[in-house]
Amino acid sequence: MEAKKHKKKGPIVEVLQRLGRNKTAMVGLAIVIMLIVAAVTSPFFYDYDEVIIKQNIPERLQHPSKTYIFGTDDLGRQIFPRIIYGARVSLSVGFSAVAIAFIVGGFLGAVGGYYGGVIDNVIMRFMDIFLAIPGTLFAITIAAALGSNIRNLIIALAISSVPGFARIIRSSVITVRDVEYIEAARAIGAKDSRIVLNHVIPNALAPVIVHTTLNVASIILTIAGLSFLGLGVAPPTPEWGAMLSAGRTYIVGHSYMTAFPGFAIMITILALNLLGDGLRDALDPRLK
Amino acid sequence: MWKYILKRLLYLIPVLFGVTLLVYIIMSVAPGDPAKAILGDQATPEAIAQLREELGLDDPIIVQYLRYAKGLLKGDLGTSYKSKGPVITEIAARIPTTLKLTFSAIIIAVIVAIPLGVVAAIKQNTLFDGLSMFIALLGISMPIFWLGILLLIQFAQKLGWFPSSGAESWKSFVLPGIALGFHSMASIARTTRSSMLEVIRQDYIRTARSKGMPYNQVVTQHALPNALIPTITVVGLQIGALMAGSVLTESVFSLPGIGRLIIFSIQGRDIPVVLGCILVFTIVFSIVNLLVDLLYAYVDPRIKAQYS
């Protein structure tokens, strides 16, 4: 009975407790949760056709007021609902791209790292080609070549993020590949796929979680940049970078048109970075 | 050491061919006909067919690529579909602008970031530390183009201190350099601070202190050289980010650099120019990575020992 009292807490609980003590990470987490809630619920509050994209020229370029919290843009659309809807656009594109990159890159990295030899060599030399082009530049090239729509944007961002995931998962897999409990699992006849999924990947998760969080941040920044250049999400879809770009013409006298989308991007990236940093600290056992 | 450098440079050759093949395929399968893009919507089908014939666009992609690769082996980057001039001259005309831009960005970033990171670490948990890390977080989160627009409005249009477009004098690169460098500055400052924090807790620092060495000297002679190793990697990584960021910065400040050329060329389906730009970026990126690895060995004798 006595021994049970002093039972070691599970590793996940421990990580979460450490994360909970980190105030800035909690601020980041709170903002991320708020953004996700906004992204998921925005269609219930605002009608897409009536509020988000319908032009209302008589009410154009209204400064922020009680009626229009964030003011209205050059086409008379309210900026506040568009910012809220923008979270939906950025987060859904960002998360989809990262999910695809994680699955593809994770698979390639895990296979290469686990088997080593020729398979690993072929995969990694192939990844070297992708890694030789600066990531964001590659995303810009693919997005611009394919033409601007959301599906192409997700493809472009996913492709450019695959090598990063492949590399990080590969190196984690290599470090745990030859440890004793893996050997033990192999000795009792566990299949390769089972070993990789049940033993190798869970132990490689820490760096991957941190990389994923920070990758979502950099992808959202890229989405905004691409849309700013007119290569990402096409108008009238409310995307922060595109909104900022549209506000450029009216910046003198109507700076709120660029300021609110700018802050929206900044707060999102800031929150994801705070959370990512907090996760890194919480997952790094050296700081225990 | 030389053997290692040679090996890395030789390995670059197949990688570059891989990169061009990859981009060639992406550009070729993407919708949009280069001939149509050049001649415009008013062009007759006959004219388009003739131009496609001239440019060799009717051949299978692999034949087209092999023709390009053959030229590449001889150092020929091909001719622009649009201007009909050699790609190399188009790029060469724009390289100085992009180089000046990235160079001023990295200089501004390093000059601000390293002292900021070092002092923040020495004065850990003070107001200065908090403030500088807050600035660093802002730098990481602020989109380049937004910062660029704000700088442009304030310092070029309102105060008139700097030109708002063009690349005539050094003044033209101050604002773009700050806009582009701010993000890198933030990353470098954060890395410097955290590696400095790790280093100043080491035994050899305590030893140096206990033999009576002044604190400033301990920091500059013992702590800094060791703390800078991770910083060098981050600076190297930033070069890639800066090249991508130059596309946005050049667009905001209307600078005639490679970043804008690549966007125009992709939209105009000018495949040889796109490939040329990507090649330039990739070569610079790869060489910077190699230099970073070499610098690593230079700074850290432990790594140097592995090469020989």
Side-chain angles (χ1 to χ4, degrees):
Chain A
M1 289 306 261
E2 198 67 315
K4 209 173 181 184
K5 228 179 191 172
H6 293 288
K7 200 182 142 197
K8 208 170 172 292
K9 289 174 233 151
I12 295 176
V13 177
E14 222 171 288
V15 165
L16 288 179
Q17 277 180 347
R18 243 178 293 156
L19 187 66
R21 279 195 294 271
N22 186 336
K23 274 184 213 140
T24 50
M26 283 297 110
V27 172
L29 182 65
I31 298 173
V32 172
I33 290 173
M34 264 165 52
L35 287 165
I36 293 175
V37 170
V40 174
T41 58
S42 50
F44 301 116
F45 292 112
Y46 302 109
D47 186 78
Y48 188 75
D49 295 323
E50 281 300 314
V51 181
I52 305 294
I53 59 170
K54 194 180 173 192
Q55 301 182 6
N56 183 13
I57 300 299
E59 295 294 313
R60 72 193 289 263
L61 298 173
Q62 298 283 325
H63 282 268
S65 64
K66 269 189 187 150
T67 349
Y68 306 118
I69 310 176
F70 284 2
T72 60
D73 66 9
D74 53 324
L75 299 171
R77 298 169 300 197
Q78 294 181 52
I79 293 174
F80 183 73
R82 286 177 64 80
I83 295 272
I84 299 293
Y85 227 96
R88 187 180 173 82
V89 176
S90 290
L91 291 185
S92 57
V93 172
F95 283 130
S96 322
V98 168
I100 296 171
F102 175 79
I103 293 168
V104 177
F107 174 76
L108 292 173
V111 168
Y114 188 73
Y115 291 104
V118 181
I119 301 174
D120 184 33
N121 238 321
V122 170
I123 292 175
M124 289 326 284
R125 292 300 79 81
F126 195 61
M127 289 294 120
D128 278 351
I129 293 173
F130 285 80
L131 283 167
I133 313 171
T136 315
L137 186 72
F138 194 36
I140 291 175
T141 311
I142 305 172
L146 295 180
S148 56
N149 68 47
I150 287 186
R151 196 202 55 189
N152 291 342
L153 186 62
I154 293 174
I155 295 175
L157 295 165
I159 293 178
S160 61
S161 298
V162 162
F165 277 101
R167 201 152 69 158
I168 208 158
I169 292 182
R170 175 180 175 268
S171 62
S172 317
V173 167
I174 286 176
T175 47
V176 294
R177 183 181 58 191
D178 297 320
V179 291
E180 279 165 355
Y181 63 83
I182 304 283
E183 229 172 279
R186 207 174 288 144
I188 59 169
K191 270 194 228 139
D192 279 353
S193 57
R194 188 189 158 89
I195 294 177
V196 171
L197 284 178
N198 288 358
H199 301 289
V200 177
I201 294 209
N203 282 292
L205 268 187
V208 173
I209 290 172
V210 177
H211 181 77
T212 307
T213 317
L214 297 176
N215 198 242
V216 173
S218 80
I219 280 189
I220 289 180
L221 208 50
T222 310
I223 298 170
L226 279 165
S227 304
F228 178 79
L229 290 171
L231 302 169
V233 181
T237 311
E239 199 285 332
W240 296 331
M243 289 167 72
L244 212 159
S245 176
R248 276 170 90 176
T249 331
Y250 305 95
I251 193 156
V252 179
H254 299 278
S255 55
Y256 57 89
M257 262 184 80
T258 48
F260 290 118
F263 278 120
I265 300 169
M266 201 165 97
I267 288 168
T268 309
I269 308 302
L270 189 72
L272 285 163
N273 272 298
L274 291 177
L275 181 62
D277 287 350
L279 281 168
R280 177 168 44 209
D281 294 343
L283 288 164
D284 189 345
R286 277 183 309 167
L287 295 171
K288 256 189 204 174
Chain B
M1 196 71 173
W2 287 109
K3 217 174 138 188
Y4 173 78
I5 297 173
L6 193 68
K7 219 168 99 185
R8 284 278 296 262
L9 287 175
L10 284 177
Y11 181 60
L12 192 55
I13 297 168
V15 168
L16 287 179
F17 277 97
V19 166
T20 51
L21 179 61
L22 191 68
V23 178
Y24 210 104
I25 292 173
I26 293 170
M27 290 298 295
S28 305
V29 298
D33 180 358
K36 226 180 236 165
I38 295 161
L39 295 173
D41 295 334
Q42 308 293 318
T44 58
E46 290 78 38
I48 290 174
Q50 198 193 342
L51 188 64
R52 283 187 65 87
E53 169 89 43
E54 267 174 48
L55 298 174
L57 290 169
D58 293 322
D59 298 328
I61 293 174
I62 195 74
V63 175
Q64 290 182 45
Y65 175 73
L66 286 177
R67 196 162 44 216
Y68 177 81
K70 215 164 132 191
L72 201 59
L73 275 176
K74 290 183 231 150
D76 178 11
L77 288 176
T79 32
S80 160
Y81 289 168
K82 202 167 202 170
S83 72
K84 310 270 189 262
V87 171
I88 194 97
T89 43
E90 287 216 10
I91 290 178
R94 285 157 184 265
I95 278 184
T97 305
T98 304
L99 272 185
K100 282 181 206 160
L101 172 63
T102 32
F103 201 66
S104 37
I106 201 83
I107 296 286
I108 292 170
V110 169
I111 286 180
V112 179
I114 292 183
L116 205 65
V118 170
V119 178
I122 296 173
K123 298 190 186 295
Q124 195 193 359
N125 299 329
T126 61
L127 185 68
F128 182 87
D129 182 26
L131 207 64
S132 43
M133 285 308 108
F134 180 70
I135 294 172
L137 268 173
L138 282 188
I140 283 180
S141 335
M142 196 158 183
I144 294 174
F145 48 90
W146 189 35
L147 178 62
I149 292 172
L150 294 178
L151 290 172
L152 198 64
I153 294 298
Q154 192 59 41
F155 296 103
Q157 293 184 359
K158 278 193 188 152
L159 294 171
W161 292 354
F162 301 99
S164 54
S165 69
E168 282 77 38
S169 73
W170 62 271
K171 272 188 167 181
S172 311
F173 291 95
V174 176
L175 296 179
I178 295 173
L180 181 57
F182 194 45
H183 190 272
S184 306
M185 184 277 289
S187 306
I188 299 168
R190 275 158 56 104
T191 311
T192 309
R193 176 179 176 271
S194 63
S195 74
M196 194 72 188
L197 278 179
E198 212 159 287
V199 168
I200 50 179
R201 292 194 190 124
Q202 299 290 323
D203 289 340
Y204 58 82
I205 298 297
R206 200 175 309 135
T207 312
R209 284 285 284 151
S210 58
K211 72 177 187 190
M213 202 176 191
Y215 191 63
N216 285 343
Q217 218 174 326
V218 175
V219 168
T220 51
Q221 289 183 11
H222 292 278
L224 196 57
N226 286 296
L228 283 185
I229 297 171
T231 305
I232 291 171
T233 329
V234 175
V235 174
L237 285 174
Q238 287 305 318
I239 304 282
L242 286 179
M243 285 192 281
S246 72
V247 177
L248 285 164
T249 319
E250 285 172 15
S251 163
V252 172
F253 290 93
S254 320
L255 291 171
I258 300 189
R260 281 182 96 198
L261 179 65
I262 195 169
I263 297 293
F264 286 140
S265 311
I266 294 171
Q267 287 170 336
R269 305 283 147 198
D270 199 341
I271 300 176
V273 181
V274 176
L275 285 167
C277 294
I278 295 271
L279 266 183
V280 170
F281 277 127
T282 308
I283 291 172
V284 175
F285 188 47
S286 306
I287 289 180
V288 168
N289 283 340
L290 175 61
L291 287 177
V292 168
D293 287 351
L294 294 176
L295 206 57
Y296 235 52
Y298 179 75
V299 188
D300 191 346
R302 284 167 297 187
I303 301 171
K304 195 175 186 176
Q306 289 172 8
Y307 289 134
S308 46

